[in-house]
Amino acid sequence: MAEHRTMQRGALLDAARTLLSEGGTEALTFPALAERTGLARSSVYEYFRSRAAVVEELCAVDFPVWAAEVEAAMERAATPEEKIEAYVRRQLALVGDRRHRAVVAISAGELDAGAREKIRAAHGGLIAMIVEALAALGHEQPRLAAMLLQGVVDAAVRRIELGAAEDPTDITEAAVAMALHGIHG
């Protein structure tokens, strides 16, 4: 029975990912989850008490996996510059991934304080990794630089998500150049 519940919970989370990546937070409704999974709407409530609870669990499950991929790419890099480049490239390479799309949709969405805090904490882990590389480069304010760098990554993610006029490869290269060389490209 417990195994069956775990499977259904997994199916609900997977349906939530798809709904979020297709239609953003508005698309994530209990009737839509019920329809996607073939469960009765009342059954969905047995697993999650609210939309925020679904979102919170998705963040708890997906964000660490996603962050671990960025971390692994950074660990393979030898120099601080290569670590920074890996940090930017890996995040942008994950844009097409449904888990990433769902987390991005969530970040922008209206969340309760608990869910927001979980996302902030997970983001904090990513930021901490890059602060170290920036400090190694001798940056005077590595934490501030890390926050600004993440802003560049977030802007690039949005450009790619929107299907902007530029090719995703060009957006990635521009973001990497900005990260490594500032406005001097």
Side-chain angles (χ1 to χ4, degrees):
M1 183 63 193
E3 191 177 324
H4 180 66
R5 284 191 64 83
T6 306
M7 271 174 55
Q8 287 196 325
R9 193 175 200 89
L12 283 165
L13 288 176
D14 207 47
R17 280 181 199 102
T18 303
L19 289 166
L20 282 164
S21 63
E22 286 172 2
T25 37
E26 303 78 56
L28 181 61
T29 64
F30 278 33
L33 282 172
E35 192 184 318
R36 289 275 168 133
T37 53
L39 292 169
R41 200 185 311 184
S42 57
S43 299
V44 178
Y45 283 99
E46 287 174 33
Y47 292 91
F48 298 104
R49 66 188 183 289
S50 66
R51 231 164 61 139
V54 177
V55 162
E56 221 166 302
E57 181 138 345
L58 259 187
C59 290
V61 171
D62 288 354
F63 212 108
V65 174
W66 181 74
E69 290 182 35
V70 176
E71 193 168 3
M74 287 179 73
E75 282 170 0
R76 287 191 295 273
T79 66
E81 287 91 346
E82 287 171 2
K83 286 185 188 306
I84 290 166
E85 183 170 345
Y87 177 81
V88 175
R89 282 191 191 283
R90 195 69 203 120
Q91 285 193 67
L92 296 180
L94 289 166
V95 170
D97 187 306
R98 266 181 343 132
R99 288 168 319 183
H100 178 266
R101 276 214 301 270
V103 171
V104 170
I106 288 164
S107 306
E110 75 304 347
L111 292 176
D112 67 18
R116 266 200 306 273
E117 194 42 57
K118 280 202 169 84
I119 291 176
R120 249 199 308 277
H123 250 286
L126 274 181
I127 296 283
M129 293 189 291
I130 203 67
V131 167
E132 206 174 300
L134 289 160
L137 284 176
H139 205 288
E140 284 176 24
Q141 290 184 287
R143 184 138 188 93
L144 173 61
M147 302 302 252
L148 296 175
L149 175 59
Q150 187 58 45
V152 168
V153 173
D154 292 343
V157 164
R158 279 193 299 279
R159 288 290 303 160
I160 295 170
E161 288 277 337
L162 287 170
E166 309 89 2
D167 187 88
T169 309
D170 294 339
I171 296 171
T172 299
E173 293 312 316
V176 169
M178 183 78 82
L180 294 176
H181 311 294
I183 56 164
H184 298 293

